[in-house]
Amino acid sequence: MTDRASFLAAVASTPRGHDPGLPSRDAAPGAPTELAAGESLLDRFQAEAEAVATIVERVAADDVPGAVAAALRAAGARTAALAADLGDLLEPVRTDCAAAGIVVDDYAAIAGDRARAGALDATVTGCIAAVAATGSIVTTGAGGRAAALIAPTHVCVVRADQVVDGLHALFAGDAIAGAGSMLALQAGPSRSADIEKTLILGVHGPGRVHVVLAV
Amino acid sequence: MSATAPREGEGIVGGQPLPDGWAAPAHRPGADDLASTSFAERAHENLQRPFQRTAIANATDHTVKALQERFEGTDHDALREEARRIRAHAIANLPAYLEQWVDCAEARGITVHFAADEAEARRLVAGICTDAGAARVVKSKSMASEEIALNSALEDAGLDVVETDLGEFVVQAMGDRPSHVIAPILHRTAGEVRELFSAMAGEELPEDPVALTSFAREGLRHAFLTADVGISGGNFLIAETGEVVLVTNEGNGRLTTSLPRVHIALVGIEKLLPRRSDLAVLLPLLTGHGTGQRITTYVSVLGGARGATEPDGPEQMHVVLLDGGRSALLGGEFEEALHCIRCGACQNVCPVYRQVGGHAYGWVYGGPIGAVLTPLFRGQADGGELSHATTLCGACDDICPVKIPLHDLLLGLRRRRVAEDAAPVSERIAFAAWGLAWRHPLLYRATTGAARAGLALAAQNGVVSRRLPGLGRWTATRDLVLGRRR
């Protein structure tokens, strides 16, 4: 059995190759996952998210709970679980969903019961950030590792001030401090092109992703 | 899936019994053909599947076009150069970064295991599963697990193993092997998938990829909801944080690492990146060169088991670090092979791969990087001939996102093969005689004159298209057009 010390010693005993030096961590030059100078953060986010089949809806902050309930109804969802990362929006969303006739649970309360979580029609989560240049929404273990993709529909509330430029701003910045056991990016519905390169949505994760963007 | 008789609740996917081909694969995943067949034999066999060549051409053309569109108007070369430096720096300092990663991961409560070789990796993963009292294991796509032939080892340990990537699910059910790093069933038609799934369903399914996928989704969802252990690979390890980064489009990677009570990541030690911010350089290259996407649908940065206040996630996270021939390459002529991020782009542009497909390479990796890694990991005796499974056209160098000089590595492997006397005796005698003859002006003139006269006799209308004596295999598929004498 190889232990830590002998394993690392074996690697360390090898000759050393050429080291060109580590580039600065200040930028990702030429990456298509960064914003161009002067580009609108929210417009780019919406365009990229829509390019990967996300439904994006901009609403005033006060209208978010109603927009979430409407998004669930439009998806035909009868049951939904709400993730704790909705924060202050949790109770208003719960109220509006119940008023719309949707049976709502807390994701945290049912996540331990895989069969029940797997039978949900929809989940609603917040996020800790969104990436303009890729159209990704960023969630964490705090809200639930599987919360974004356990159900056929995922509704995500994004605040305009949570949108960052690109991958560099996300990974080098402090927006993701305290991510917990998982930092998770998702851009649009689950997809596969394994069978003869035919694009199919909703393979394992949701087939419908609806972003409610609070401006 | 276990080859033994199904236990209760086993051998069933989506409530459907499994077909014969699943229970006893004709070709167990991970088994390799390197020792028993030659590249020429495998290539010949694969060339007999006309669909395969069309499918590979269509799929790879599509991906290469998407790649070009993705980086249009960007400073693509600056990004590749940045990535090359990050990878070269990480590999040149691998011992230090590896130790830093292990320290950080253990501080996060991740249990780190150390596998010097393939056999040890198999024992470790199987041991974690049996210690956890597991019956069912779900897997997301992992080339490292193909390298170590993990599925057979887990099945032998009595575990029910289910591949959850759609393509890998088909590969497993057919007892086949993946033929491309990114697109495992590039070589299969929708018709073949329909036949397989219909046999599993016990009814005729339509040849519609949407219907076929939804059949698989239903069965795989059942597997996700009942599995005890989830096994993933890892696209990157982040030294400064102790995290494992996983990239998927289907979402099976996220479910594999979130739903079962134990998560095991099997990762090669060369996957290290110094910093989380390096993902801003490497991720767009991995996804852009792999599929042409700006970013994959899902990126998971995994940093441990479920936290005390988190609603879901595994109770345990294990990482099995695989050396498996990697550290032996450090500091040597072939070190740059460790820079590879497994995007598959070199396969897509390789004129040899595009004709013969991934299976002809005989092991896990195909295309130019496969022709390099196979002899390095599996030895010259069985894999060495792959350094000739290339035209040395250099298309792979031009497309590699981290600028690996594949062309030079392939030439180096050819030199090594000659130096180790691994080339056939007839080939060595022929080249030695040729070298001797052409060093002397008289012999040079005599041999070229004789060759010219001989070729003129063999030619019809200035073209030699028949087999030439002593060069039968080489001339069987090639025509020689004779030039006019000046």
Side-chain angles (χ1 to χ4, degrees):
Chain A
M1 192 61 86
T2 309
D3 62 9
R4 174 188 159 126
S6 58
F7 186 87
L8 294 178
V11 178
S13 70
T14 54
R16 182 140 186 250
H18 173 68
D19 180 1
L22 188 58
S24 110
R25 70 163 86 213
D26 296 340
T33 45
E34 303 301 324
L35 227 54
E39 215 174 346
S40 154
L41 208 61
L42 296 189
D43 288 351
R44 176 77 184 265
F45 171 71
Q46 181 161 0
E48 294 297 341
E50 287 174 348
V52 290
T54 308
I55 302 164
V56 181
E57 186 185 357
R58 295 193 201 196
V59 302
D62 289 346
D63 298 336
V64 168
V68 170
L72 291 171
R73 290 199 42 129
R78 284 169 299 181
T79 59
L82 312 183
D85 61 4
L86 284 166
D88 293 345
L89 284 167
L90 189 59
E91 293 315 318
V93 166
R94 192 195 312 276
T95 305
D96 279 28
C97 288
I102 298 156
V103 179
V104 284
D105 280 299
D106 283 315
Y107 181 75
I110 63 163
D113 182 349
R114 278 192 274 178
R116 194 162 159 208
L120 286 166
D121 288 338
T123 54
V124 184
T125 72
C127 66
I128 57 159
V131 184
T134 65
S136 304
I137 47 186
V138 186
T139 60
T140 67
R145 292 168 57 135
L149 69 173
I150 192 76
T153 295
H154 174 214
V155 179
C156 182
V157 179
V158 180
R159 288 197 323 266
D161 66 358
Q162 290 178 312
V163 183
V164 301
D165 284 15
L167 288 185
H168 185 264
L170 179 76
F171 288 120
D174 54 11
I176 51 175
S181 73
M182 175 187 272
L183 178 73
L185 283 73
Q186 38 266 311
S190 153
R191 59 176 63 209
S192 175
D194 272 349
I195 302 176
E196 289 191 16
K197 284 275 158 191
T198 308
L199 179 65
I200 296 155
L201 300 183
V203 183
H204 291 298
R208 186 178 173 102
V209 177
H210 191 133
V211 168
V212 176
L213 181 58
V215 291
Chain B
M1 204 56 56
S2 173
T4 53
R7 295 189 292 265
E8 194 181 346
E10 268 198 20
I12 288 177
V13 167
Q16 305 296 338
L18 296 164
D20 295 343
W22 181 299
H27 191 151
R28 300 189 84 192
D32 70 62
D33 300 328
L34 279 180
S36 56
T37 57
S38 70
F39 175 77
E41 288 165 349
R42 295 189 298 265
H44 181 75
E45 193 188 318
N46 278 283
L47 289 170
Q48 308 310 307
R49 295 172 49 96
F51 165 80
Q52 180 170 312
R53 289 156 79 182
T54 317
I56 295 174
N58 289 344
T60 53
D61 283 350
H62 176 272
T63 309
V64 171
K65 186 162 167 276
L67 185 166
Q68 286 160 348
E69 287 169 3
R70 174 58 52 224
F71 293 99
E72 214 171 84
T74 69
D75 195 346
H76 191 190
D77 192 63
L79 188 65
R80 290 171 70 219
E81 181 57 24
E82 190 91 345
R84 185 195 69 78
R85 282 181 58 191
I86 292 170
R87 290 299 292 144
H89 171 83
I91 296 300
N93 297 280
L94 194 66
Y97 283 126
L98 193 60
E99 188 162 4
Q100 186 188 9
W101 184 86
V102 174
D103 285 342
C104 292
E106 287 180 342
R108 287 174 169 272
I110 297 170
T111 310
V112 185
H113 307 261
F114 303 90
D117 57 27
E118 299 171 9
E120 190 164 27
R122 285 193 292 268
R123 273 202 309 278
L124 283 166
V125 175
I128 299 166
C129 293
T130 47
D131 285 352
R136 172 167 285 164
V137 174
V138 283
K139 277 186 68 203
S140 71
K141 190 169 154 39
S142 155
M143 293 310 288
S145 81
E146 297 285 343
E147 255 184 61
I148 69 167
L150 180 62
N151 287 12
S152 324
L154 296 179
E155 285 159 6
D156 291 345
L159 293 153
D160 174 29
V161 184
V162 182
E163 291 282 358
T164 61
D165 173 270
L166 183 59
E168 293 284 348
F169 174 74
V170 172
V171 161
Q172 184 188 25
M174 286 184 172
D176 199 355
R177 284 210 313 259
S179 72
H180 188 281
V181 181
I182 302 286
I185 52 167
L186 201 58
H187 60 295
R188 294 287 181 188
T189 63
E192 288 173 300
V193 176
R194 185 193 68 81
E195 222 170 276
L196 171 78
F197 287 2
S198 296
M200 294 172 81
E203 59 172 313
E204 284 300 301
L205 298 175
E207 197 174 306
D208 163 25
V210 176
L212 296 174
T213 304
S214 89
F215 170 78
R217 175 189 161 108
E218 192 193 330
L220 291 171
R221 199 31 102 94
H222 174 72
F224 277 126
L225 296 178
T226 53
D228 307 292
V229 175
I231 298 178
S232 73
N235 295 93
F236 300 108
L237 299 172
I238 309 294
E240 69 177 3
T241 62
E243 291 164 322
V244 179
V245 182
L246 199 61
V247 168
T248 76
N249 277 317
E250 296 180 4
N252 61 315
R254 183 80 54 80
L255 293 175
T256 296
T257 58
S258 296
L259 295 178
R261 57 190 164 83
V262 176
H263 168 217
I264 306 170
L266 172 70
V267 193
I269 54 172
E270 87 284 13
K271 297 282 185 173
L272 273 160
L273 295 179
R275 311 162 298 198
R276 221 189 220 172
S277 60
D278 296 325
L279 291 174
V281 175
L282 271 304
L283 276 182
L285 286 169
L286 175 60
T287 64
H289 284 246
T291 62
Q293 287 170 285
R294 195 177 299 273
I295 192 166
T296 45
T297 308
Y298 299 103
V299 178
S300 302
V301 183
L302 301 162
R306 172 187 179 182
T309 59
E310 294 178 354
D312 60 4
E315 294 157 19
Q316 302 170 23
M317 177 173 176
H318 299 263
V319 175
V320 176
L321 291 175
L322 173 66
D323 186 326
R326 288 160 170 80
S327 64
L329 303 181
L330 289 170
E333 185 185 357
F334 302 103
E335 182 181 82
E336 284 156 307
L338 296 175
H339 297 179
C340 176
I341 58 172
R342 307 284 191 268
C343 71
C346 62
Q347 302 183 321
N348 297 341
V349 296
C350 176
V352 177
Y353 175 89
R354 288 167 60 100
Q355 293 302 316
V356 301
H359 289 172
Y361 293 80
W363 190 47
V364 175
Y365 301 106
I369 191 65
V372 170
L373 288 178
T374 306
L376 294 176
F377 285 176
R378 300 303 304 267
Q380 283 286 336
D382 294 332
E385 62 168 349
L386 293 182
S387 58
H388 290 272
T390 154
T391 64
L392 297 177
C393 69
C396 46
D397 283 23
D398 290 342
I399 204 154
C400 177
V402 294
K403 295 189 170 182
I404 298 172
L406 286 152
H407 177 274
D408 291 344
L409 297 181
L410 286 163
L411 276 176
L413 284 163
R414 288 188 182 186
R415 275 194 298 274
R416 179 193 268 198
R417 188 156 181 260
V418 172
E420 290 179 1
D421 290 342
V425 176
S426 57
E427 187 181 308
R428 278 184 284 139
I429 290 174
F431 277 110
W434 185 27
L436 193 69
W438 283 24
R439 273 200 289 274
H440 301 279
L442 272 176
L443 279 171
Y444 172 81
R445 272 185 229 117
T447 51
T448 50
R452 198 178 289 125
L455 287 172
L457 280 175
Q460 283 180 322
N461 301 324
V463 179
V464 183
S465 59
R466 59 153 94 167
R467 290 176 185 231
L468 296 177
L471 295 169
R473 274 179 56 193
W474 199 81
T475 48
T477 55
R478 292 170 174 90
D479 287 349
L480 186 61
V481 181
L482 301 185
R484 282 204 200 112
R485 290 195 72 178
R486 290 193 191 142

